[in-house]
Amino acid sequence: MLASTPDLLRLLAVPALGWAAWRDVRTRRLPNRLWLPLIAVGVVALALDAATRFPIAGVGDRRFLVRVAVSVLLLVPVAYGLWWIGGF
């Protein structure tokens, strides 16, 4: 089975995250400019993945929407808040 387009887009993040891990170990600092392209790739991949789920037909589609809602409405604000107060 071939990978889907959102999966291939997510593979774009692997080299960037590998570089970020290497730099984090080496300097303990990451530039803020790294995150905007990764966010853009993530949003596009999520939009393409969501487009394949509509119209909502079954339990799997509902589970997908719940996972996305928890991530976007709970985890993203908590992570941003921790970053803002210096928790990361």
Side-chain angles (χ1 to χ4, degrees), residues 55-68:
I56 299 168
V59 175
D61 294 340
R62 287 189 204 107
R63 286 181 36 199
F64 170 78
L65 290 176
V66 168
R67 287 192 310 261
V68 168

Side-chain angles (χ1 to χ4, degrees), residues 3-27:
S4 67
T5 303
D7 290 337
L8 294 174
L9 278 174
R10 288 181 190 102
L11 285 177
L12 290 175
V14 172
L17 292 173
W19 175 80
W22 174 77
R23 181 166 169 146
D24 185 38
V25 167
R26 200 172 123 239
T27 65

